[in-house]
Amino acid sequence: MNKHIIIGFVVTGAIAMALSGCGQKPASSGTTSQGSGSQNPANNSVISPAPKQDVTPATTPAQSKSIQAQIKAYYGDEQATKLVEKEVTINYPEEKEKYTTALWTLKKAPADSKLVPLADALGFKSAVLKDKKLTLDITLSGEGRLGAPGEAMLLQAIQKTLFQFPEVDAIDILVDGKPVESLMGHMDLPHPMKRGQ
């Protein structure tokens, strides 16, 4: 007799659990945006798509938000004796990266040309615009350094590239965060270089 009572309790408990489980599933799928249902691990897996849906729209605009612009970039001619202007397209994720993206074009000449990139020795770490002055922090490697005429063309290429943006009236070039008298030892480097100088 005791056996039958225990079996009856087990069966009744199993039915009650099954019914309560069935009753919760539709309620939790209908309330996924409210985030209730932390009692049951199964409910957590039902709710998890809601945060993913929130993340996906944020990711998609960031990818589609990539800004494209046509700019002028500057290179040395085949003999590296004069500056040549070329129109190039740049892509950058946000406005503050526009300046460094534009400068990176000076490191690689267009593939279909025999133009000489002048900025081989430079790495562009950051560019911060404040009160119309762009502070440019660069790094300088031992490779790709230029003589006096090349350095003069490089400084001219940097100025022309950055001054094409109307919001920039002055450029201050720092090397590893510090002002230097000359970029490569041949030409004076004003702090800052001003538009029209």
Side-chain angles (χ1 to χ4, degrees), residues 42-155:
N43 289 341
N44 288 341
S45 65
V46 173
I47 292 169
S48 64
K52 284 182 187 171
Q53 289 170 357
D54 293 340
V55 170
T56 305
T59 308
T60 306
Q63 290 166 349
S64 64
K65 191 184 165 188
S66 180
I67 305 163
Q68 189 175 76
Q70 286 280 115
I71 65 159
K72 294 171 184 169
Y74 299 87
Y75 308 94
D77 66 352
E78 202 172 340
Q79 292 79 35
T81 55
K82 66 178 182 179
L83 212 54
V84 177
E85 179 184 290
K86 272 287 214 191
E87 255 196 21
V88 297
T89 302
I90 59 170
N91 292 291
Y92 48 97
E94 48 189 326
E95 194 66 22
K96 66 179 184 178
E97 294 184 38
K98 171 172 67 174
Y99 310 110
T100 50
T101 304
L103 289 167
W104 278 101
T105 63
L106 305 182
K107 290 182 68 68
K108 188 174 182 184
D112 59 346
S113 73
K114 293 184 179 180
L115 299 176
V116 177
L118 299 167
D120 272 350
L122 304 186
F124 302 103
K125 294 162 78 173
S126 67
V128 178
L129 183 67
K130 186 177 179 184
D131 300 327
K132 296 195 161 231
K133 181 175 95 172
L134 186 72
T135 302
L136 177 62
D137 192 10
I138 66 168
T139 184
L140 195 58
S141 73
E143 309 254 333
R145 288 188 180 242
L146 304 166
E151 184 179 348
M153 280 199 308
L154 172 60
L155 289 174

Side-chain angles (χ1 to χ4, degrees), residues 1-10:
M1 192 92 136
N2 286 342
K3 220 178 204 187
H4 291 290
I5 293 171
I6 292 171
I7 290 172
F9 281 133
V10 170

Side-chain angles (χ1 to χ4, degrees), residues 9-41:
F9 281 133
V10 170
V11 170
T12 305
I15 291 170
M17 286 175 60
L19 289 175
S20 69
C22 290
Q24 282 184 354
K25 283 184 184 175
S28 67
S29 64
T31 59
T32 54
S33 62
Q34 294 173 355
S36 64
S38 59
Q39 309 159 347
N40 192 331

